[in-house]
Amino acid sequence: MRILSSIPGLLLVASIAACEGPPAPQEFAARLGSEILSTAELGEALEGLTIEMDSADAARQVVEQWVTNQLLLAEARRRGIDRDPRVRAHAAEAERAVVVDALLGVLYEESSDGPTEAEMQDYFERNRERLALAEPYVRMRYLAVGDQAAAREARSRLARLAPEDVEGWETLVEEMSTEAQLSRGLSRSLVPETRAFSEYPSLAAAVISTRVGRTTPVVQDRGSFHIVTVLERVPAGTLPERAWIEESLRQQLRIESRKLLYARLVQRLRNEALAREQLQVR
């Protein structure tokens, strides 16, 4: 849900009384003189925001930051700082960087179909030796529960559950896990051992020290209780199956594709500039 939809009270924020400017558009979030923060711009600033706060508070902070920046900018202009040659040179360089980044963003978006299945398989086969696992990968059964009594019961049931008992595992997840989707995902795939629970350091340490087939003690971390049974561990140095590294493989191919796109674009533009006799390099 877009945060903007819940903040009608922030529209038409009063303009700064001491500043005068031309009439502002009817819908705006803030105005300082002739400078406007439109409701559309506010919506763009808030879209995708992941901070955990009331939507009105989030919008208010965006508006206040805009006002602060505009006040400081106005003061800098009043003092003539924007006309300083060094400042203008830095501003021009920043503008060039922003424009170039925007160009690359457009190019990457135009070619964002991603690697094909054939490209993924070819890259994997050609690079499999180089893609040997840098750390152990593990597959596990993970439960997160909300209180200590439930955690003790969950650990007892998890420790007794046979590895081949998929139905019993699904029942346990459904009844007890507060992170059911994560519980199911970790039981179906191999993941890097040190990164599986990077947000829960105590749990990550417990998993690393737990042997295959064993269950960790209950670990309390960040308001929840966590239990893990290690089902499988593949040691570092193992040549991977493609499914183990599918996402990192896809990401690597995207990076290499963008590097190639960048190099080809620069070379084409260079050749065109040379052909027009616009480019000279000494």
Side-chain angles (χ1 to χ4, degrees):
M1 181 181 68
R2 295 180 62 175
I3 298 175
L4 183 59
S5 63
S6 61
I7 54 170
L10 282 178
L11 304 182
L12 304 176
V13 171
S15 61
I16 306 302
C19 299
E20 296 181 357
Q26 185 176 5
E27 288 193 358
F28 67 96
R31 176 172 72 85
L32 178 63
S34 61
E35 300 296 330
I36 298 297
L37 174 64
S38 70
T39 57
E41 290 168 332
L42 177 59
E44 290 175 4
L46 293 171
E47 197 166 85
L49 209 61
T50 58
I51 55 176
E52 296 181 358
M53 65 168 61
D54 179 79
S55 56
D57 288 339
R60 192 173 295 109
Q61 286 195 19
V62 171
V63 171
E64 286 303 313
Q65 186 61 59
W66 181 89
V67 170
T68 298
N69 290 341
Q70 291 300 322
L71 288 169
L72 293 173
L73 178 60
E75 177 64 10
R77 286 171 173 165
R78 187 186 69 79
R79 298 186 182 198
I81 292 174
D82 59 319
R83 297 189 294 276
D84 185 303
R86 292 169 299 179
V87 173
R88 294 178 68 85
H90 285 307
E93 180 60 32
E95 181 182 3
R96 285 192 291 270
V98 169
V99 172
V100 169
D101 283 346
L103 168 65
L104 295 178
V106 170
L107 292 172
Y108 296 154
E109 188 173 323
E110 291 174 349
S111 62
S112 62
D113 292 340
T116 65
E117 173 64 26
E119 290 170 336
M120 291 273 288
Q121 187 61 30
D122 177 66
Y123 184 87
F124 174 73
E125 291 174 356
R126 285 188 292 105
N127 294 278
R128 191 176 181 191
E129 296 286 336
R130 185 174 63 82
L131 295 170
L133 301 182
E135 63 174 291
Y137 272 51
V138 293
R139 184 169 63 87
M140 58 196 123
R141 284 174 172 170
Y142 162 70
L143 294 173
V145 295
D147 63 77
Q148 193 165 23
R152 286 195 294 266
E153 179 188 351
R155 186 189 185 282
S156 177
R157 291 175 60 181
L158 183 59
R160 294 196 308 268
L161 199 63
E164 63 275 10
D165 188 356
V166 177
E167 185 178 346
W169 165 243
E170 286 292 333
T171 299
L172 186 55
V173 169
E174 189 67 30
E175 291 179 0
M176 306 209 71
S177 183
T178 59
E179 296 284 353
Q181 185 175 357
L182 180 58
S183 295
R184 293 188 178 97
L186 290 174
S187 70
R188 295 169 183 163
S189 59
L190 286 153
V191 296
E193 186 172 63
T194 61
R195 286 176 278 167
F197 296 108
S198 57
E199 71 274 34
Y200 300 119
S202 300
L203 181 59
V207 170
I208 290 171
S209 62
T210 298
R211 290 182 292 174
V212 173
R214 298 295 181 87
T215 302
T216 66
V218 174
V219 176
Q220 183 178 6
D221 200 333
R222 296 177 61 178
S224 294
F225 297 84
H226 312 269
I227 313 101
V228 169
T229 292
V230 178
L231 297 176
E232 182 181 0
R233 179 177 280 112
V234 179
T238 301
L239 296 182
E241 299 296 329
R242 179 178 150 181
W244 303 351
I245 57 171
E246 188 79 8
E247 191 50 42
S248 61
L249 198 64
R250 192 181 307 278
Q251 182 64 22
Q252 183 60 35
L253 271 169
R254 285 198 190 103
I255 292 171
E256 294 196 8
S257 175
R258 289 182 174 186
K259 287 181 178 178
L260 183 59
L261 179 66
Y262 177 87
R264 286 175 174 171
L265 173 64
V266 171
Q267 188 59 53
R268 178 175 66 80
L269 296 175
R270 177 185 291 269
N271 291 342
E272 291 174 356
L274 287 170
R276 294 192 299 267
E277 298 184 351
Q278 293 178 325
L279 176 64
Q280 291 182 315
V281 180
R282 294 179 178 175

